[in-house]
Structure formats: structure tokens, C-alpha cells
Amino acid sequence: LCTAMAGCGGTEETSSPATSEETSYSWDELTQDDSETAAVDTSEEVVIDPENMYRSELTNEWIDKSIQDQRPVAIMVDNEKTALDHYGLTQADIVYEVMNSTANGEITRFMAVVKDWEKITRFGSIRSTRPTNFMLAPEYNAILIHDGGPFYIDPYLGNPWIDNLSGGFARIENGKPREFTEYVTTGEIAKRIEANNIDREYNSYYEGAHFQFASKANPVKLESKSDAQACSLVDLPFPHNGSELEYDPASNTYLYYEYGMAHVDPENDNKQLAFTNVIIQSALCEQFDENGYMQFNILNKSGNGWYITGGQAIPITWQKGMDTSPTKYYDSEGKELTLNTGKTYIALVSQTRWGELVLK
């Protein structure tokens, strides 16, 4: 499933499962006219059919009830500038941004958690994973999708709660080096899950819904809290790509920027990546070797953080048990956070960089 890589800044070697052949395509060959891939309108103004819809455990938005028991996937997305544009990320319900290496300007990588993955037409480009992601994906009982990884992930592959699909996804000719050409495309996930005999529905390792949500009719308003502060900009201490989230009052979301540009999704009408909820966690980073391979130590740990929504921010704490245990977030009074309905961005920030985080 995985092989060692030469170095954090170099080309990654991958191994493909015996159940799938790697094939190169042009994007025109993979494009399909499929009305099923249209984005679901989750606004409260649409007519809701409660017999055929339910509120997503990841966003609290109304979605198709037929996938209520379907496990999400967690897709590793390369965040090197050469990998842009990213395709499909606006279809993610939760996006993690996590340092991938202490080398190469402490480059980050995305882990995109997607519930309704059958609507994926093109997602990525995908890249290798790290140990931290094997601690985070099980919180959602998610199937981790990646292309290989360093040998440091080997101990996690044997855990019975880990299901993953490594390598062998479609290669799309885009004029870039090979490591930036692999994407999840239409129908691949379902075929790979079946071929690898992976549970499609939540299994015994699922510990239940991750978050508690407020309704759109009665949203969380942080300004009512004594320790709240105005927050229209989140400037993250990620030196490689300069991640920022800017509050947009019109949509009541935080718009994502990196490399000095708006992060847009060509696969979904060039929508900008946007989040109702932003959570920033401080965590201890452990470097493994001189190549920059590392992990965040988050199992049976706790720490500080921020919860940001609606143009306001409050200090929080977080706590996590074992791999399958959802990370819990608490306000300064010790009450578990209630999130607003919508998508969530979560960043893990090294304790050594925590003082460089800017909220204003």
C-alpha cells in the first residue's frame, strides 16, 4: 500500500492495488454529461422532503436520505502551487489543512472529507498521506484516499479501523509532472470499495456524529460571549502557501485564499472555497528525520484553539482520545461547541508557530 519516498520536496513513489489498473486519459475522455452531479441546493428556502432527506451529520444541511448510512471518504489533496488548480474541493463538507513536512517551507496538505462522494466527477490532484491523517480520518469512520506515503504510515495500516484506497486512480494529462496528474473521477470510489471488500456503510468503529449544530433559524452568535472578538481575517502561519480566510458578510462565510489568490474550483463553476465554521487547533509537532517527515501528536491529547464564525472568534480548547474518537471542542466555560450549519475548515497549527497566528 505504501512505499518510502526520497524526500519531502521530491517525487513520491506510489504503489497501486492489484485490483485496479492505472490508466492515463485526457480530461475530454473522462467528462460525462451527468445531471446527477449538479450541486444540491441546501438552502432553507427550498422545499424539504423529510421522508427522503435528512440533516447531514457533517454539515447539518439537508441531503439525500439514501446516503444516511454511507461512510464519507477523506481525500488527500496536494497543496503545492504546481498542483493548482484544485478540482472538486467545494464539494467537501469538511476540509483539514495540516502541515505535511517541516521541510519545503512547512508545506501543507488538504484532507477533504466528502459525504456524497458519488457526485464526484474530478477531485484532486491527490497525493500521499501522513500518520496524522490516519488519526483524523477514523474520527468520521472515513475511507482514506491517497497515493502512497512514507514508511512511517506502516504501523497504522494494520489497524482494524483503517480502510484506505492507495494509488491507481485516473491519470489526467494536464501538462504537469506525473505526481500532479492523479485524480479521483466519476464512479471510481464505488468500484474500488467493492473490489477491495470495504464496508460502504458505517461500521462498528463509528462512534457517532462528530459535531452538534445550531439550526439556521437560531444560529450561534459568538458576539454574545464575553471573550468574543471581531474576526474578519484569519492569517494562518503557513509560510509556504500563506493561507488566509476572509469573512464575507454577504454569504456569512470565510472565503479561502492561498498563494495570494482566491482558491477557486474549476470543476464547480469556479466557486471559491468557503466555510461557515473555522476551527484552529494548536498541537505538538514531532519531526521524524532530516527529510522533514513528521506527525502531530493528537492521540489522548488536548490543547488550545479558536472557533470562528459569523465575523467573530472565541478561544477554545480541544480534546481527543483514541483514533476513532472524535475531537471535541469546548468554549472557555467548558461547554461543548455548537457549530453553525454549513461547511467547516479545520487547521492544525504547530505549537512553535502558534504565536504567529493572526486574527483581526
Side-chain angles (χ1 to χ4, degrees):
L1 288 174
C2 59
T3 57
M5 298 180 294
C8 291
T11 300
E12 299 170 356
E13 298 178 16
T14 65
S15 58
S16 301
T19 53
S20 107
E21 288 186 16
E22 186 180 277
T23 309
S24 293
Y25 302 92
S26 69
W27 180 234
D28 289 341
E29 293 175 284
L30 288 164
T31 304
Q32 298 182 10
D33 181 13
D34 185 356
S35 60
E36 291 290 315
T37 63
V40 177
D41 184 355
T42 55
S43 71
E44 295 290 73
E45 288 72 28
V46 300
V47 176
I48 302 300
D49 177 7
E51 290 190 3
N52 295 304
M53 303 180 77
Y54 85 107
R55 286 197 176 275
S56 166
E57 63 274 27
L58 300 183
T59 65
N60 201 46
E61 300 279 11
W62 288 99
I63 63 173
D64 197 314
K65 199 171 187 176
S66 65
I67 63 169
Q68 185 167 2
D69 295 326
Q70 178 173 284
R71 299 169 68 185
V73 295
I75 305 175
M76 298 303 305
V77 177
D78 194 334
N79 206 20
E80 178 58 77
K81 191 173 184 180
T82 307
L84 299 177
D85 291 328
H86 291 141
Y87 288 76
L89 260 70
T90 58
Q91 292 175 251
D93 301 295
I94 301 165
V95 174
Y96 281 83
E97 185 170 8
V98 182
M99 191 203 322
N100 192 59
S101 169
T102 59
N104 198 17
E106 298 183 2
I107 189 169
T108 64
R109 193 155 290 180
F110 292 131
M111 186 181 80
V113 182
V114 184
K115 174 73 172 180
D116 198 358
W117 41 261
E118 290 229 80
K119 286 194 170 75
I120 286 175
T121 53
R122 180 181 180 182
F123 207 106
S125 61
I126 66 173
R127 202 75 181 268
S128 66
T129 191
R130 297 292 184 268
T132 307
N133 304 105
F134 283 103
M135 305 174 199
L136 293 171
E139 296 192 13
Y140 304 91
N141 199 218
I143 301 163
L144 189 63
I145 291 177
H146 60 106
D147 193 335
F151 65 86
Y152 296 110
I153 71 173
D154 289 0
Y156 296 90
L157 295 171
N159 289 333
W161 52 82
I162 293 295
D163 286 311
N164 67 311
L165 298 172
S166 176
F169 288 92
R171 294 281 178 176
I172 297 175
E173 298 170 6
N174 57 14
K176 299 177 183 179
R178 179 177 174 79
E179 61 265 32
F180 303 107
T181 63
E182 187 172 10
Y183 298 84
V184 177
T185 60
T186 305
E188 285 190 285
I189 295 175
K191 291 177 183 177
R192 296 282 298 277
I193 286 174
E194 182 177 1
N196 287 276
N197 197 29
I198 292 173
D199 293 329
R200 180 170 176 145
E201 296 187 346
Y202 286 124
N203 57 32
S204 61
Y205 297 107
Y206 180 52
E207 296 191 15
H210 198 287
F211 301 115
Q212 57 185 20
F213 289 97
S215 68
K216 280 192 172 180
N218 188 26
V220 173
K221 295 182 179 180
L222 296 182
E223 56 265 36
S224 64
K225 293 185 173 291
S226 61
D227 55 357
Q229 65 181 61
C231 182
S232 59
L233 173 68
V234 182
D235 186 354
L236 288 144
F238 295 152
H240 185 93
N241 62 323
S243 305
E244 291 185 344
L245 295 118
E246 293 186 8
Y247 181 58
D248 174 38
S251 63
N252 197 30
T253 62
Y254 284 83
L255 304 178
Y256 183 81
Y257 296 80
E258 65 174 351
Y259 297 107
M261 304 177 292
H263 185 289
V264 297
D265 180 1
E267 195 65 10
N268 291 282
D269 301 320
N270 282 319
K271 292 179 184 176
Q272 187 170 356
L273 199 56
F275 305 94
T276 303
N277 306 292
V278 175
I279 296 174
I280 316 294
Q281 285 180 242
S282 171
L284 179 65
C285 168
E286 178 184 357
Q287 182 172 330
F288 293 140
D289 59 32
E290 67 279 4
N291 295 313
Y293 291 118
M294 46 75 64
Q295 72 177 32
F296 280 99
N297 292 331
I298 56 175
L299 298 183
N300 296 307
K301 302 293 183 182
S302 60
N304 297 320
W306 289 93
Y307 173 48
I308 304 158
T309 189
Q312 298 284 319
I314 59 169
I316 61 171
T317 59
W318 63 268
Q319 184 175 353
K320 177 173 170 60
M322 297 305 293
D323 309 61
T324 57
S325 302
T327 302
K328 295 295 183 181
Y329 303 94
Y330 303 93
D331 65 18
S332 59
E333 297 176 352
K335 296 178 181 177
E336 185 176 348
L337 282 186
T338 297
L339 304 189
N340 279 319
T341 294
K343 297 176 184 290
T344 299
Y345 168 94
I346 302 175
L348 268 61
V349 174
S350 171
Q351 290 179 355
T352 59
R353 290 279 187 183
W354 189 246
E356 301 171 31
L357 174 67
V358 176
L359 307 181
K360 61 181 180 180

